[in-house]
Structures are given as C-alpha cells and as structure tokens.
Amino acid sequence: MSAEIKETEPLFSPKNRKLLSIPLNRDNPITMQVLGVCSALAVTAKLEPSVVMALSVVFVLGVGNVVISLLRKTIPPRIRIIVQLTVIATLVILVDQFLLAFAYDVSRQLSVFVGLIITNCIIMGRFEAFGMANKPWPSFLDGIGNALGYGWILIAVGFFRELLGSGTLWGYPVLEKIGLYSTGYENNGMMILPPMALIVVGIIIWVQRSRERDLIEEN
Amino acid sequence: MKGLRRYLDKIKPAFEKGGKLEKLHSTFEAIEAFIFVSNRVTLTGSHIRDAVDLKRTMSIVVLALMPPLLFGMWNVGYQHFIANGMEASLWQNFWFGFLQVLPIVIVSYVTGLAIEFGFAQARGHEVNEGFLVTGMLIPLIMPPDVPLWMVAVSTAFAVIFGKEVFGGTGMNILNPALTARAFLFFAYPKEMSGDKVWIVDKPDAFSGATPMGDAMIDQVDKIPSPMDMFLGFIPGSVGETSTVAIIIGALILLFTGVASWRIMLSVVVGGLVMGWIFNLLALNEYMLIPAWEHLIMGGFAFGAVYMATDPVTATQTIKGKYIYGFLIGFFAVMVRVFNPAFPEGMMMAILFMNVFAPLIDHYVVQANIRKRRKRWQKKGIPDV
C-alpha cells in the first residue's frame, strides 16, 4: 500500500506544471518546433478567427491526447497512425459541426481550415511524442500546453494584423474611434496579405531568441 | 577643420575602452570616419590599404545621384505648374520641387540613420556608410506627393527587414531602397498607383497619368513623345523621369568604375530582346511600341543604372552578371506588358533577380569547376 501512495504525485506537481508552461515559450510549437505554420498564416488576418482557431485546437489536442493516452496500450504499433487520425478526425468533425451550429459566420471565415486541423502537424506530433507514452493526466496537460503555445502566437499575430491591416479589433473600429484617420493615417494593406503573417511570426521569434539567447541555433 | 579635429581628439578618450562614454563608441567612430579619413593602422596581414573604401564608393554613388535628383526637383515643380495652368520660371519650378522633395530626403535619412545607429550601438559594431546611398535612392523612387509618415514607415521596414535582420550592410539579400518601395506599393497602393499621385496638387480635370499608366489601360497613343520621355518632361517618381540625367549619372559611375558596366549593358540588352519578342508577337497595341522605347519609359533606366548594379545584391561572378542583368531587363519588360496589376515591372524584376543572384553565382562557379575538371581528365591527371 505504502508503495502505491508514493507513486501518486500531486496534480500540479512541478513536473506537471512544466508540461503546461514549457510549450508556451521555450518549446513553442510555432516558434521553436516550426510546426503548424500554415494555419498560422492563413487564419490570422483577423482576431476573431484566430481566437476560434486557437480554441478549436485546444479542444482537439487536449481531448485527443487523453483519448490516445487511454488507448495507448491497446493500439497495435503498426496501425497507430490510422488510429490517431481517426481520433483527430472525430474531434475535428465535432468542432466543425459545433461551429456551424453556433458560430456560422466564423465558420465561414475559417472555411476549410477547421477541417485542416486534421493535418495540423502539432496534433499528430504530440500524439506520437507524448500521448502514446504517458498517462492520461500528463497527456492532457501536455496537449493543453502545446495548444495554448500555438494559440497565443495565433492570437498575437491576429491582433497586430487586424489592428494595423483593417484598423479594427474583433470587428470594432478602434482606430476610427480614436480619430487616427483624420490625421492622415491609412491602413497597411500589406498586413492583410499572408506574407506579413510570416514577418510578424518572424518578429516574435526574433524577440524570443534575443531574450533567451541559448535558444539560438548554431549552424 | 583643424579646430574640429582638435575637438574630436579631445573628446576621443571618453569613447575608448574604459572611457566614460564607451557605450557610444560606434556612434563616435561613425561621425569621426564621416568627417575625416580613418587613421586606423592595420595590425596584422596586409598593410597596404586602398584609398577607395566604402565611404568613398558610397560618396561617388551619391554624387552620381545628383543629376536625377536636381532634375527631379525641377520636374516636380514643372509638372505642378503645368497641371495648374500656370506659367513659372526655371527657378520657381525648381524651388517648388525643392521644397517638396527635400522633406522626403530628410525623413528618409533621419529614419534610416537612426535605425542604423541604434543597431550598431546594440550590436557593438561600427556604423556602415551603406545607408548614405539607400537614403538618397528612396526619395528618388517615391511619388512626389507621398505622405512623409509613409516614407518613414517604409524606410524603417526596409532597413530593419531588408538589411538589419540579415546582418547589416553587405549582408542583405534584397536591395533596401527597392524593399522600401515594394513595401509602400503593397501596403498603401492608393498612394503608389493611379494617376493622382505623380503630380503635386493635381487638379482633377488634368490627366496626370504616367506613360506607364497610359500604356497599361491600352491608351498607347497617349504616351508622350520619345523626346519628352528621354529628356524627362513627364510625370513620374521623383528621380526616374529623365533618361538624360540618369545617363550622366551612369557615366560618372562607369568612369569611376564603381558600377558594373556588364550589368548595365545586359539589362539594356534583356529589355530590348523582350521588346523585340513582343514586336514579333504583336498581340495588342502595347506590344507594338518600338523595343527601344521601353528603355526610356518608367523606371527602366533608373533601375538599370542605380539599382541593378548594387554590388551587394547583384551576382559576383562575371558570367553571372550577364545572366543577372539580362534577366532583369527581360522580366521588367515582360511584367510591364503582361501583368495588369503592375504598370511598372522594373522594381519586381530587380527584387526577383536579387533573390536568384546567389543561385546564379552558385551554378556559374560549379560550371567552372566542372570545366576545369574535364580539362584535367583529358590530360589523364586523376581527380584529387
């Protein structure tokens, strides 16, 4: 009995908390692992779709990682990719139908990219690297952590692109209300184009690596 | 001058190692090197240094930019008074244009140099003279009516993302001045295209279209006479209208050996070849204009002389220079005639070939290695 008690560690032990916090910065899926960049470029022209996309990925990755972790001992290794895809596809269809029912406009804006969460490399990567080898609770934390790491980049990029490109935030005309246009200011049309998302992500990476210099790769 | 030297000598110790203002060391050195010849002595390696350093090279380019700048100032005034139906003397024209263009020059230099000095301070290296030319090129390729804050934003973008992220002067992939223009073109298309922006305070009734604008909307018959375009009495970006002024600049660059004649020549040849191909195709009116007319329209001449020859972003090998230049001219004319979204193709063509320059160099070098290896093998000497 006493041996079993020793094995249970508190829910938010330092190790578990690290699962949540490391992907936010030092092992960020976008800026460090360079995964999921395609969707980061495609949906971030406005803040609202960025937030919805981030939440969808949090749901899919958090729940999916738990499901995979629960099934990990019963999945035959040779067909594990197909099983993982089935789990992801199920969850993505749930998200898609939910959005169609309750947030139709956003769903239209995100269009094909909700369905393409299936191909988001971050999800597959976490299933393979973590869910297949760990218990449900750490898997859940790892999934949420990585999805949030992905999500905050999306939201940050979406914030700047919408503010500078359209002069609005969540559709609210911020710059017009504070009267910037009357001074001769104009929206930056390049911010709405996908290349600018790449440059904004680049700036985030730049800031991150100049704050933590040990992250800079040698080549 | 002597007083200045004495003053600099007096305050110099403060900026050296251990001095009070050591942190501002690179700023001090930049100012000193700008005014005087550097008195630094080499410690190792070769001790003979050429008098032509980066500072001299850049000064010559800036000198070569004076004819288009002065003519551009005059032309800005000339176009303004013509459009408003007023008579003006040579000096009135020039003075109006001077007051219009000078703020753009100042904003471009202040923004760019502030960022350059900031980066040099932060990274602890010397301030390079690279921006002296960029800062002069930027105003010359802007529309005369451009809002000053846009000049500042695009200059900042160009210096940071065109140059500093790659490591500063000499490391950039893209021509910084053209990066600024491309940024402006995509970010604020209203200020960079159409027929409103090329003449200062243009009344609505007056057609202010540039030759490029006319040609794009199939009004080829409205293109001004070749003589006007050659001399530059047409609306357009500040410095690019007069081919004569640009040729004077080109002669300065070629005489001093600063710019590569190979690139200039091959850009012209590339443009002519594409023009002739279009003449043969002859699918619409625009394709029928004589090939040589492409050389004096729009920014072709300016780009060929000042932009394509930028030694940092161009190819380095001799064969590579011919390929690089030829393709710039070729694509510039092609984009002009084919693409309805871009009236002028020179900017796109140069930026495009900037990206390909290292690749061209790579293949030229590889081809040379293969050729030499074959020669050795023929002689029966085995590979090392």
Side-chain angles (χ1 to χ4, degrees):
Chain A
M1 283 299 276
S2 63
E4 269 178 30
I5 290 166
K6 256 184 198 167
E7 271 177 25
T8 58
E9 50 178 317
L11 281 183
F12 288 101
S13 64
K15 204 178 106 204
N16 283 348
R17 261 180 301 178
K18 269 200 171 160
L19 289 176
L20 262 181
S21 63
I22 282 190
L24 291 183
N25 183 15
R26 290 191 58 87
D27 198 19
N28 190 289
I30 292 184
T31 64
M32 284 309 296
Q33 302 167 25
V34 201
L35 295 176
V37 177
C38 15
S39 54
L41 304 190
V43 302
T44 50
K46 290 256 155 65
L47 188 56
E48 194 180 3
S50 315
V51 171
V52 173
M53 186 72 179
L55 290 177
S56 311
V57 172
V58 168
F59 171 75
V60 174
L61 194 47
V63 177
N65 230 0
V66 173
V67 174
I68 291 292
S69 170
L70 289 170
L71 293 173
R72 70 185 189 278
K73 286 180 182 148
T74 56
I75 300 174
R78 295 179 68 174
I79 59 160
R80 65 181 196 287
I81 302 280
I82 296 176
V83 176
Q84 287 165 8
L85 270 179
T86 319
V87 172
I88 303 173
T90 314
L91 293 167
V92 168
I93 290 169
L94 279 177
V95 170
D96 198 18
Q97 295 298 316
F98 180 85
L99 287 180
L100 279 173
F102 295 104
Y104 187 68
D105 289 339
V106 183
S107 171
R108 288 293 299 275
Q109 276 183 49
L110 287 169
S111 67
V112 70
F113 287 98
V114 177
L116 282 180
I117 295 177
I118 297 174
T119 58
N120 193 323
C121 345
I122 299 170
I123 297 174
M124 238 4 199
R126 286 337 286 172
F127 284 9
E128 274 286 289
F130 205 92
M132 289 296 287
N134 286 285
K135 287 181 181 168
W137 175 244
S139 299
F140 178 71
L141 291 178
D142 178 80
I144 298 285
N146 275 284
L148 286 177
Y150 166 82
W152 85 256
I153 302 276
L154 240 64
I155 293 168
V157 175
F159 176 84
F160 286 111
R161 283 183 73 192
E162 182 172 356
L163 185 66
L164 300 175
S166 316
T168 56
L169 278 179
W170 207 278
Y172 183 80
V174 187
L175 297 186
E176 197 185 313
K177 293 283 176 200
I178 61 171
L180 203 56
Y181 291 116
S182 51
T183 62
Y185 176 83
E186 271 179 50
N187 285 328
N188 187 326
M190 199 163 158
M191 273 289 172
I192 304 176
L193 304 174
M196 211 55 196
L198 206 61
I199 290 176
V200 177
V201 172
I203 298 174
I204 295 177
I205 291 178
W206 188 5
V207 171
Q208 184 192 28
R209 308 225 169 160
S210 40
R211 280 165 57 119
E212 299 184 35
R213 305 201 75 89
D214 55 312
L215 295 180
I216 299 171
E217 293 97 345
E218 296 293 328
N219 53 4
Chain B
M1 221 55 192
K2 259 188 186 161
L4 195 62
R5 179 73 258 178
R6 264 204 298 276
Y7 175 70
L8 284 177
D9 281 340
K10 206 181 95 193
I11 62 169
K12 196 169 185 174
F15 293 96
E16 277 165 358
K17 261 212 173 117
K20 252 190 300 185
L21 299 166
E22 193 194 329
K23 276 204 180 130
L24 291 172
H25 149 87
S26 60
T27 308
F28 176 80
E29 213 158 76
I31 293 168
E32 192 193 13
F34 182 73
I35 306 173
F36 294 102
V37 176
S38 169
N39 64 348
R40 212 162 20 144
V41 181
T42 46
L43 297 174
T44 53
S46 57
H47 294 292
I48 302 171
R49 283 148 58 104
D50 199 303
V52 179
D53 56 1
L54 196 58
K55 185 170 85 174
R56 305 275 167 262
T57 317
M58 294 295 175
S59 318
I60 288 170
V61 182
V62 172
L63 184 74
L65 280 168
M66 286 303 123
L69 178 72
L70 295 177
F71 182 87
M73 285 175 168
W74 175 82
N75 192 42
V76 167
Y78 175 74
Q79 296 295 338
H80 166 77
F81 287 118
I82 289 260
N84 286 294
M86 284 185 268
E87 290 279 318
S89 68
L90 177 84
W91 274 107
Q92 275 174 313
N93 282 337
F94 182 80
W95 186 244
F96 181 87
F98 179 77
L99 290 182
Q100 191 69 27
V101 174
L102 190 68
I104 306 181
V105 178
I106 293 172
V107 167
S108 149
Y109 269 117
V110 168
T111 319
L113 284 176
I115 295 171
E116 286 257 317
F117 273 75
F119 268 96
Q121 271 322 334
R123 290 179 175 164
H125 62 60
E126 291 173 41
V127 179
N128 287 118
E129 290 86 346
F131 192 75
L132 288 183
V133 170
T134 311
M136 188 53 84
L137 281 172
I138 289 175
L140 289 180
I141 52 176
M142 293 284 164
D145 223 1
V146 64
L148 293 178
W149 69 270
M150 284 184 191
V151 179
V153 170
S154 50
T155 307
F157 180 87
V159 174
I160 295 175
F161 292 100
K163 205 161 127 186
E164 290 302 340
V165 274
F166 296 109
T169 307
M171 308 288 206
N172 42 315
I173 299 171
L174 301 172
N175 184 318
L178 278 179
T179 312
R181 195 177 199 275
F183 178 80
L184 206 63
F185 185 85
F186 287 108
Y188 309 106
K190 255 195 294 174
E191 303 295 331
M192 283 297 280
S193 42
D195 49 11
K196 289 242 154 57
V197 297
W198 308 108
I199 298 176
V200 181
D201 298 333
K202 185 183 79 69
D204 284 337
F206 189 82
S207 157
T210 59
M212 310 306 308
D214 277 333
M216 194 182 64
I217 48 173
D218 289 332
Q219 294 184 312
V220 179
D221 50 317
K222 273 199 187 168
I223 294 180
S225 73
M227 205 53 193
D228 275 357
M229 292 199 287
F230 183 68
L231 295 175
F233 304 135
I234 48 170
S237 298
V238 174
E240 48 89 350
T241 56
S242 167
T243 312
V244 177
I246 294 166
I247 289 177
I248 298 172
L251 289 178
I252 298 176
L253 289 179
L254 292 178
F255 179 72
T256 52
V258 167
S260 157
W261 61 268
R262 293 185 173 89
I263 293 178
M264 284 190 208
L265 179 75
S266 48
V267 174
V268 169
V269 171
L272 284 176
V273 167
M274 193 70 224
W276 282 321
I277 294 177
F278 279 137
N279 284 349
L280 291 178
L281 285 175
L283 295 176
N284 59 28
E285 264 185 88
Y286 198 173
M287 290 191 184
L288 280 172
I289 69 167
W292 55 266
E293 221 168 278
H294 278 296
L295 307 183
I296 53 176
M297 282 168 76
F300 194 98
F302 193 84
V305 170
Y306 298 106
M307 303 291 200
T309 53
D310 172 10
V312 177
T313 54
T315 43
Q316 310 295 320
T317 51
I318 288 176
K319 246 185 232 165
K321 280 179 182 164
Y322 288 120
I323 302 171
Y324 168 84
F326 180 84
L327 287 176
I328 286 181
F330 191 82
F331 284 131
V333 175
M334 190 200 272
V335 172
R336 258 180 200 187
V337 178
F338 269 152
N339 194 329
F342 304 122
E344 171 58 307
M346 202 58 189
M347 172 178 84
M348 292 297 160
I350 297 176
L351 286 175
F352 188 66
M353 290 316 295
N354 279 170
V355 175
F356 278 97
L359 191 72
I360 296 172
D361 272 342
H362 173 80
Y363 280 108
V364 169
V365 171
Q366 290 302 318
N368 192 37
I369 291 173
R370 264 200 310 279
K371 199 178 78 191
R372 294 181 69 127
R373 180 177 287 151
K374 264 192 199 140
R375 203 156 64 204
W376 277 55
Q377 280 165 349
K378 240 183 218 166
K379 286 183 187 168
I381 303 166
D383 267 353
V384 183

